[in-house]
Amino acid sequence: MSKQVDLISGLAVIEAARKHAEKIGVPMNIAVVDSGANLVAFRMDGPWLGSIDIAQDKAFTARAFHPPTIELAKMSQPGEPLFGINASNDGRVVLFGGGIPLKCDDRVIGAVGGSGGRPDQDHDVARAGVAAFDAGGKTGH
Amino acid sequence: MSKQVDLISGLAVIEAARKHAEKIGVPMNIAVVDSGANLVAFRMDGPWLGSIDIAQDKAFTARAFHPPTIELAKMSQPGEPLFGINASNDGRVVLFGGGIPLKCDDRVIGAVGGSGGRPDQDHDVARAGVAAFDAGGKTGH
Amino acid sequence: MSKQVDLISGLAVIEAARKHAEKIGVPMNIAVVDSGANLVAFRMDGPWLGSIDIAQDKAFTARAFHPPTIELAKMSQPGEPLFGINASNDGRVVLFGGGIPLKCDDRVIGAVGGSGGRPDQDHDVARAGVAAFDAGGKTGH
Amino acid sequence: MSKQVDLISGLAVIEAARKHAEKIGVPMNIAVVDSGANLVAFRMDGPWLGSIDIAQDKAFTARAFHPPTIELAKMSQPGEPLFGINASNDGRVVLFGGGIPLKCDDRVIGAVGGSGGRPDQDHDVARAGVAAFDAGGKTGH
């Protein structure tokens, strides 16, 4: 029985992420993508217009490359093995925290991206979404 | 006191549109944009991957040009005054029903786009979202 | 037990399509995408440089909207309900024959696109790929 | 009698690269481009969705600038002469190992790109493809 990132589970991820954002007092834009990296759900609550794009791109990045973006950032510094990766995939690769993959049995099947605060806050908000997904019932919701 | 398309009113628009989609039995992707044509909220429920983009672009089109896209479609046929308009704005202009502006005192302040059924069904779903917005309270929600 | 469009089944689709192209004497570019509309396999054999892009976009279109592109073409003529759809999805929507969805139990799970001949020839080549996929074993290969 | 990167030689390159990837146990996406930097053949076997694009872009980069991308990476670090080159060519320039040009008499006539492992693994896989190309018969295949 395999979990899926679909509308129902996607909205649950967003709701959990949103609650954490509320708790830390940082409004966020939050995006969820499915296994094909396609947008499943999105809500704008952040103050930065530019973050509408970045939240979605963080989710894309985590789905496309697997490490949380906060880790990918380290691998992509000057001198590191993935330096320059952000020029790929039509500029949709984001190199700061806030994108985390959603997994089922260690297989990446989607991702969540949060954008609106500091990278570590964005990461924590996304992590709250991931936790809700992982706690989801046996049917994948 | 002016109405706004923000997260709260946007989610109400999506919820009303979703209910109509459910009533007519046609799952839809639904997008809401604000006065700057920026995505406020989105939910994917439609069967067509290509509609993720189109729902957002219908909302953009209605915000950007004001007539519902079902009307813009007529003005953009061969021989009509706006023929070719869909090549503008980086290909974000959609020429079939499903995008409708959200207004306050006849001023366009956002838009809703639905995509997943026939253009007339998409239009009706978007109209249900607009009706909810228009019925919103005096504070704009 | 569900079929998947993956490397193994994708290469089988391409091989079957290629054989048909050879039989009718029309070299083709052939692309296969998976359920997320991502490229799984591609081979260039056509004489037209511009068809490298079109073969991939035909596969995308069939995955994104479900009707074979030869059918979508009819729905997208001036005056028809989907006129203008080719401006959506960043210009990746192709409106002539050659793209056909790959299905499992009536669910679209990928697509094949052929480009190099006349639209009806491209359609026939893609159909040969689909037939091979449908004839694939119970494990999806 | 000049060698060419065409469908036949391209598939041979991919097959040799794939075999090396199999030997080191790292599934890869592998792309081959011709002298015009156009995609000749592609196969997806890697775990990263984002690598579909990067494999093709590595091949593009090696064809477009000639040094293997593992060398170009060094020239493009902060303070080095080509710093920032990855912003050019619509973001198709990749700055880590895995792209290597295909040559005939020291003339670059195509390239191969591999993506799916560490940059040095990707480079080795691409090199296996180049070796097969160089060992190709007198007719260019």
Side-chain angles (χ1 to χ4, degrees):
Chain A
M1 188 172 332
S2 69
K3 276 177 127 169
Q4 271 199 321
V5 179
D6 53 18
L7 178 62
I8 297 172
S9 58
L11 290 178
V13 167
I14 285 193
E15 180 56 17
R18 187 197 64 72
K19 270 191 187 146
H20 187 82
E22 196 175 61
K23 199 170 79 181
I24 62 173
V26 183
M28 296 246 166
N29 298 326
I30 304 165
V32 174
V33 300
D34 65 14
S35 66
N38 296 299
L39 187 64
V40 167
F42 174 83
R43 59 176 287 156
M44 178 195 188
D45 199 18
W48 299 334
L49 210 60
S51 282
I52 297 173
D53 190 74
I54 290 179
Q56 296 178 62
D57 283 353
K58 281 180 180 173
F60 168 81
T61 303
R63 170 61 193 92
F65 294 107
H66 299 194
T69 55
I70 210 166
E71 299 299 328
L72 192 68
K74 296 172 195 165
M75 308 175 199
S76 309
Q77 296 300 312
E80 297 301 321
L82 298 182
F83 177 60
I85 195 174
N86 52 323
S88 79
N89 286 274
D90 297 322
R92 298 174 67 198
V93 177
V94 179
L95 296 185
F96 36 91
I100 308 184
L102 296 166
K103 296 184 180 179
C104 172
D105 299 336
D106 280 328
R107 207 162 36 88
V108 173
I109 58 170
V112 55
S115 188
R118 297 191 315 261
D120 60 301
Q121 292 173 322
D122 295 356
H123 179 74
D124 286 347
V125 163
R127 210 166 45 174
V130 173
F133 186 78
D134 289 343
K138 294 180 195 62
T139 63
H141 302 142
Chain B
M1 190 176 329
S2 71
K3 276 179 126 167
Q4 271 197 322
V5 179
D6 54 18
L7 179 62
I8 299 174
S9 58
L11 290 178
V13 167
I14 284 192
E15 179 57 17
R18 188 196 64 72
K19 269 191 188 147
H20 187 82
E22 196 175 62
K23 198 170 81 179
I24 64 172
V26 182
M28 295 247 165
N29 299 326
I30 304 165
V32 174
V33 300
D34 65 13
S35 65
N38 297 299
L39 188 64
V40 167
F42 174 83
R43 60 176 284 158
M44 178 195 187
D45 200 18
W48 297 338
L49 210 62
S51 282
I52 297 172
D53 189 75
I54 289 180
Q56 296 177 63
D57 284 353
K58 281 180 180 173
F60 168 80
T61 303
R63 171 59 193 91
F65 294 107
H66 298 193
T69 55
I70 210 166
E71 299 300 326
L72 193 69
K74 296 173 193 163
M75 307 173 199
S76 309
Q77 296 297 315
E80 297 302 321
L82 298 182
F83 177 61
I85 194 175
N86 53 325
S88 77
N89 286 273
D90 297 321
R92 299 174 66 199
V93 177
V94 180
L95 298 184
F96 35 90
I100 309 185
L102 296 166
K103 296 182 179 179
C104 173
D105 301 337
D106 282 329
R107 208 162 32 90
V108 173
I109 58 170
V112 55
S115 189
R118 295 190 318 261
D120 61 300
Q121 291 174 322
D122 294 356
H123 179 74
D124 286 348
V125 163
R127 211 166 44 175
V130 173
F133 186 79
D134 289 343
K138 294 177 196 67
T139 64
H141 303 144
Chain C
M1 189 176 331
S2 69
K3 276 178 127 167
Q4 271 198 322
V5 180
D6 54 19
L7 178 63
I8 298 173
S9 59
L11 290 177
V13 167
I14 285 191
E15 179 56 17
R18 187 197 64 73
K19 270 191 187 145
H20 187 82
E22 195 174 64
K23 198 170 80 180
I24 64 173
V26 182
M28 296 246 165
N29 299 327
I30 304 165
V32 173
V33 300
D34 65 14
S35 66
N38 297 298
L39 188 64
V40 167
F42 174 83
R43 59 176 286 156
M44 179 194 186
D45 200 18
W48 300 335
L49 209 62
S51 281
I52 297 172
D53 189 75
I54 290 180
Q56 296 178 61
D57 284 352
K58 281 180 180 173
F60 167 80
T61 303
R63 170 61 193 93
F65 294 108
H66 299 193
T69 55
I70 209 166
E71 300 299 326
L72 192 68
K74 295 172 195 164
M75 308 174 198
S76 310
Q77 296 301 311
E80 297 301 321
L82 297 182
F83 177 59
I85 194 173
N86 52 323
S88 79
N89 286 274
D90 297 322
R92 299 175 66 197
V93 177
V94 180
L95 296 184
F96 37 89
I100 308 184
L102 296 167
K103 296 182 181 181
C104 174
D105 299 335
D106 280 328
R107 207 162 36 88
V108 173
I109 58 170
V112 54
S115 187
R118 295 190 317 261
D120 60 301
Q121 292 173 323
D122 295 356
H123 178 75
D124 286 347
V125 163
R127 210 165 46 175
V130 172
F133 186 79
D134 289 342
K138 293 177 195 66
T139 63
H141 304 145
Chain D
M1 185 175 335
S2 69
K3 274 179 128 168
Q4 271 198 319
V5 180
D6 54 18
L7 179 62
I8 298 172
S9 58
L11 290 178
V13 167
I14 284 192
E15 180 55 18
R18 187 195 65 73
K19 269 192 188 145
H20 187 81
E22 197 175 62
K23 199 171 78 180
I24 62 173
V26 182
M28 296 246 166
N29 299 327
I30 304 165
V32 174
V33 301
D34 66 14
S35 65
N38 297 298
L39 187 64
V40 167
F42 174 83
R43 59 175 285 158
M44 176 194 189
D45 200 17
W48 298 337
L49 209 62
S51 281
I52 297 172
D53 190 75
I54 289 180
Q56 297 177 62
D57 285 352
K58 281 180 180 173
F60 168 81
T61 303
R63 169 62 193 91
F65 293 107
H66 298 195
T69 55
I70 210 166
E71 298 301 327
L72 193 68
K74 295 172 196 162
M75 309 174 198
S76 310
Q77 295 298 315
E80 297 302 321
L82 297 182
F83 176 60
I85 193 175
N86 53 327
S88 78
N89 285 273
D90 297 322
R92 299 174 66 198
V93 177
V94 179
L95 297 185
F96 34 91
I100 308 185
L102 296 165
K103 296 183 181 178
C104 173
D105 301 336
D106 281 327
R107 208 162 33 90
V108 173
I109 59 169
V112 55
S115 188
R118 296 191 316 262
D120 61 301
Q121 291 173 323
D122 295 355
H123 179 75
D124 286 348
V125 163
R127 211 166 45 176
V130 172
F133 185 78
D134 289 343
K138 295 176 195 65
T139 63
H141 303 143

